[in-house]
Amino acid sequence: MPENLTPLNAIGEFALIRRLQAGFSLRQASTVLGIGDDAAIIAPTAGLEQVMTTDLLVEGIHFDLSFCPLRHLGYKAVAVNVSDVAAMNALPTQLVVALSVGPRFTVEAVEELYAGIRLACEAYNVDLVGGDTTASRGGLTLAVTVLGEVPAGQAARRSGGQPTDLLCVSGDLGGAFLGLQVLEREKQAFLADPDTQPELANYEYVVQRQLRPEARLDIVHELRELGIRPTSMIDISDGLASEVLHLCTASGTGARVFSEFLPLANPTLEAAAEFNLDPITCALNGGEDYELLFTVPVADHEKIKNHPDITVLGHLTDAAEGANLITKAGQPVPLKAQGWTSF
Amino acid sequence: MPENLTPLNAIGEFALIRRLQAGFSLRQASTVLGIGDDAAIIAPTAGLEQVMTTDLLVEGIHFDLSFCPLRHLGYKAVAVNVSDVAAMNALPTQLVVALSVGPRFTVEAVEELYAGIRLACEAYNVDLVGGDTTASRGGLTLAVTVLGEVPAGQAARRSGGQPTDLLCVSGDLGGAFLGLQVLEREKQAFLADPDTQPELANYEYVVQRQLRPEARLDIVHELRELGIRPTSMIDISDGLASEVLHLCTASGTGARVFSEFLPLANPTLEAAAEFNLDPITCALNGGEDYELLFTVPVADHEKIKNHPDITVLGHLTDAAEGANLITKAGQPVPLKAQGWTSF
């Protein structure tokens, strides 16, 4: 270990916690007490309901530290949880972080991870109110649990979709998957020749989509401003196809998704061409885009149709129709979940 | 793998989640929506504040599956979190579980773990409302996050102690540490001779204290019934000495703990004698007892002095006195935190 780095066992758990929490401030009026006691204290806002979700990121399964900087990992760990909060039509308020790190990590490495967590807390206006930091025999594991708030009765469940509701998605799809292909390729090139420099400059957009996804809280705010309440919503972590099927199953509907409407960014199309991958397949099955997939009543079409960052992909149908991708030639192709499974 | 066991990759993540959540029911009126969406929905009870805490248990650091049954581990993972809720003078309401398991685990093993989680949810009247289950390259890691409720303004912080407040503890101390010594000894005997049978019958109490600690929610209820509001409180996870020092630091006080009042159960004394360990040291530094350490105003002495499961250990003092153990001979010995650190 270089001399300017500090082994974790040199400072002890309590001193580590003090160092990690430095620089975090509390923003939410509902946070009564943050880090430092047996538990945080929260005063829920009258008239609001809460949402609660947890996500685990495991080294070697969800991320590869040979190309994922710790600061980005910290940011992403918060973002993917906040994305689940957004998918309920809610805004995040508090979070806790449980972290285990193996013996090869230094105090400075864990601080870098927390710098990313802090940036995400600032970006999403959420308070870090507690955590647990401990050793592991293996790699790094990061469990984040987030609380959020939503006006009572306004949470968007997966089950609220109705046949004829418009099926909408934020942003664009497939980029995160292609970013991962680029990073994996550069890693192999590096392993083959450690003197090689990673060539990422031409892939900035897709690499960013993979390493530093953003939770689409902006869409939650904009839907409120447009006076639109999504009838159902889910975030896209496993790929569009898998998430459409989840919405259909929960809502008891089918769906028609028009392939020509799938939002694909130019850098995604270019990377797909280079890797000889079908960009539509990347959008359907790639995963990790963390965009929001939601349904709105047909009556809201006027409000949403010109939104620069929301695309109407199709609509829900009766369950009997099934969930289909409609090709440019008008042919229905049943959607299949090829979503990622870690086992 | 025996034929009657199912590898995790045979059923996929969604099917696993469906199997795991079977048998769980919702008890709390505040739980609007449990497992199955992007997040759970909670309707906080008017007039109450919430507490939130998370704890991580890591294989090879916090537990050893060669002597800790998975069902006990699941129970303990909930209990240690609920203990933090109790230490705030609160009652648990909802929890989420994030779990990563290595390739050697089967579906049946994870179900066994969840059976323990379910038993604890029933015992502590708390709803499992979400989670994340994923693979790992190594062993088992279990992160539990619990929400609890407490009447507004009634949460017991570590910082509320005043000089002259009585220092009290629930139950008895040192047992969990001695249980661990017994289990480690039997493991070594087994490793030396796999035909050996573990000899645990004479150590049931201390082994139970280690493998299946209980959160002292009963004490929270009883203090409310006695009309006592603890001025400060903490749970004993790292040993009495460490926790007294935490209370004193947070409250800006010293403390006098009388060694003759330390509650030591007979099986703990017997095991300590057998292992040639000082039972007082086991109580002060052993850890994992998960009893509650709290302070009450002197005026409450009458209410508490005859309680069969609460012991008055001493009292807080001015900070200048420091935190001391008072020996039977009346000598003050400064308390030192030899609390467990995992790094």
Side-chain angles (χ1 to χ4, degrees):
Chain A
M1 186 174 296
E3 271 179 37
N4 57 337
L5 298 179
T6 317
L8 280 172
N9 60 12
I11 68 166
E13 186 179 352
F14 300 127
L16 177 64
I17 291 169
R18 277 194 300 276
R19 271 178 77 156
L20 295 180
Q21 73 181 87
F24 281 87
S25 53
L26 299 176
R27 289 169 190 80
Q28 292 284 336
S30 58
T31 305
V32 177
L33 181 69
I35 294 169
D37 214 302
D38 291 82
I41 306 176
I42 295 160
T45 311
L48 300 188
E49 286 178 343
Q50 291 173 316
V51 299
M52 183 183 195
T53 179
T54 193
D55 255 312
L56 197 62
L57 294 181
V58 180
E59 185 176 356
I61 304 290
H62 301 95
F63 59 89
D64 183 337
L65 288 177
S66 63
F67 55 67
C68 180
L70 283 163
R71 189 179 288 234
H72 283 60
L73 178 65
Y75 194 95
K76 183 171 179 173
V78 174
V80 302
N81 275 282
V82 169
S83 182
D84 280 321
V85 170
M88 300 302 290
N89 196 28
L91 300 174
T93 49
Q94 286 86 19
L95 63 83
V96 295
V97 174
L99 173 72
S100 71
V101 285
R104 75 179 196 279
F105 289 87
T106 61
V107 172
E108 289 76 12
V110 180
E111 285 183 321
E112 194 61 16
L113 182 76
Y114 267 74
I117 293 172
R118 194 173 66 237
L119 284 172
C121 286
E122 290 165 3
Y124 300 127
N125 195 31
V126 56
D127 290 348
L128 176 73
V129 298
D132 192 13
T133 304
T134 182
S136 83
R137 289 279 171 92
L140 193 155
T141 301
L142 194 55
V144 176
T145 305
V146 183
L147 272 188
E149 288 183 336
V150 57
Q154 304 283 307
R157 304 182 186 202
R158 297 179 180 180
S159 59
Q162 299 290 329
T164 79
D165 278 358
L166 300 175
L167 188 63
C168 308
V169 71
S170 63
D172 57 82
L173 301 175
F177 176 75
L178 284 157
L180 185 59
Q181 306 316 305
V182 172
L183 289 164
E184 295 278 8
R185 181 180 69 183
E186 295 304 315
K187 180 182 177 184
Q188 293 311 318
F190 176 80
L191 291 174
D193 174 10
D195 288 330
T196 195
Q197 290 294 315
E199 292 178 17
L200 299 177
N202 292 331
Y203 309 99
E204 204 177 323
Y205 181 76
V206 295
V207 166
Q208 179 91 350
R209 293 288 286 170
Q210 170 59 224
L211 292 183
R212 202 175 140 163
E214 289 286 0
R216 299 306 306 260
L217 283 184
D218 56 331
I219 297 292
V220 174
H221 286 292
E222 288 182 29
L223 290 175
R224 291 182 185 185
E225 283 160 21
L226 290 168
I228 295 173
R229 182 182 158 203
T231 50
S232 70
M233 187 144 61
I234 188 170
D235 76 325
I236 301 181
S237 52
D238 293 340
L240 179 68
S242 172
E243 316 304 357
V244 169
L245 289 168
H246 280 310
L247 277 194
C248 288
T249 302
S251 294
T253 66
R256 311 183 88 201
V257 176
F258 293 88
S259 71
E260 65 197 298
F261 297 156
L262 291 177
L264 300 163
N266 283 333
T268 302
L269 291 168
E270 287 161 17
E274 189 178 328
F275 282 86
N276 205 17
L277 292 166
D278 175 13
I280 291 177
T281 305
C282 296
L284 290 174
N285 299 322
E288 293 216 86
D289 285 318
Y290 297 104
E291 296 294 340
L292 293 175
L293 176 72
F294 57 96
T295 55
V296 301
V298 173
D300 284 335
H301 188 229
E302 283 299 315
K303 294 183 193 167
I304 218 163
K305 69 177 183 182
N306 293 321
H307 193 289
D309 208 23
I310 294 175
T311 303
V312 180
L313 294 176
H315 58 85
L316 299 187
T317 66
D318 286 337
E321 273 204 43
N324 292 288
L325 183 75
I326 312 298
T327 67
K328 276 192 183 170
Q331 293 299 313
V333 180
L335 287 170
K336 284 184 186 157
Q338 307 203 343
W340 185 81
T341 177
S342 70
F343 292 117
Chain B
M1 188 176 297
E3 274 179 35
N4 58 337
L5 297 180
T6 316
L8 279 174
N9 59 13
I11 67 166
E13 187 179 351
F14 300 129
L16 177 65
I17 291 169
R18 278 194 299 276
R19 271 177 79 154
L20 294 180
Q21 74 182 83
F24 281 85
S25 52
L26 298 177
R27 291 169 188 79
Q28 292 284 336
S30 58
T31 304
V32 177
L33 180 70
I35 294 170
D37 215 303
D38 291 82
I41 306 176
I42 296 161
T45 311
L48 300 187
E49 285 179 343
Q50 292 173 316
V51 300
M52 183 183 196
T53 179
T54 192
D55 254 313
L56 197 63
L57 295 181
V58 180
E59 184 175 358
I61 304 289
H62 301 97
F63 59 88
D64 182 337
L65 289 176
S66 64
F67 55 66
C68 180
L70 283 163
R71 189 179 288 235
H72 282 61
L73 177 65
Y75 193 96
K76 183 169 178 172
V78 174
V80 301
N81 275 281
V82 169
S83 181
D84 280 320
V85 169
M88 300 302 288
N89 196 30
L91 301 173
T93 49
Q94 285 86 19
L95 63 84
V96 293
V97 173
L99 173 71
S100 70
V101 287
R104 76 180 198 278
F105 289 87
T106 61
V107 172
E108 289 76 11
V110 180
E111 285 183 320
E112 194 60 17
L113 183 78
Y114 267 74
I117 292 172
R118 193 172 68 237
L119 284 172
C121 285
E122 290 164 3
Y124 300 128
N125 195 31
V126 55
D127 289 349
L128 176 72
V129 297
D132 191 15
T133 304
T134 182
S136 84
R137 290 277 171 93
L140 193 156
T141 300
L142 194 54
V144 177
T145 306
V146 184
L147 273 187
E149 287 184 337
V150 57
Q154 303 283 306
R157 305 183 186 201
R158 296 180 180 178
S159 58
Q162 298 289 331
T164 78
D165 279 357
L166 300 175
L167 188 64
C168 307
V169 71
S170 64
D172 57 80
L173 301 175
F177 176 76
L178 284 156
L180 184 61
Q181 306 314 306
V182 171
L183 289 163
E184 294 277 9
R185 180 179 70 184
E186 295 305 314
K187 179 183 177 181
Q188 293 310 319
F190 176 81
L191 291 174
D193 175 8
D195 289 331
T196 195
Q197 290 293 316
E199 292 179 16
L200 298 176
N202 292 331
Y203 309 100
E204 204 178 321
Y205 181 77
V206 294
V207 166
Q208 178 92 352
R209 293 287 286 169
Q210 170 60 224
L211 293 184
R212 201 174 143 165
E214 290 285 0
R216 299 308 303 264
L217 283 184
D218 58 328
I219 296 293
V220 174
H221 286 293
E222 288 182 29
L223 289 175
R224 291 182 185 186
E225 284 159 21
L226 290 168
I228 294 174
R229 181 180 157 205
T231 49
S232 69
M233 186 144 63
I234 189 171
D235 77 325
I236 300 181
S237 52
D238 293 339
L240 179 68
S242 173
E243 316 304 357
V244 169
L245 289 168
H246 280 309
L247 277 194
C248 288
T249 301
S251 295
T253 67
R256 310 184 87 198
V257 177
F258 293 88
S259 72
E260 64 196 299
F261 297 156
L262 290 176
L264 299 162
N266 283 333
T268 301
L269 291 167
E270 287 160 17
E274 191 179 325
F275 281 85
N276 206 19
L277 292 167
D278 176 14
I280 291 177
T281 304
C282 296
L284 289 176
N285 299 321
E288 293 216 86
D289 285 318
Y290 297 104
E291 296 294 342
L292 293 175
L293 177 71
F294 57 96
T295 54
V296 301
V298 173
D300 285 335
H301 188 230
E302 283 299 314
K303 296 182 191 168
I304 217 162
K305 69 177 186 185
N306 294 321
H307 192 289
D309 207 24
I310 294 174
T311 304
V312 179
L313 293 175
H315 57 86
L316 298 186
T317 66
D318 287 336
E321 272 203 45
N324 293 289
L325 183 76
I326 311 298
T327 67
K328 277 191 183 170
Q331 293 299 315
V333 180
L335 287 171
K336 283 186 186 154
Q338 307 204 339
W340 185 81
T341 176
S342 70
F343 293 116

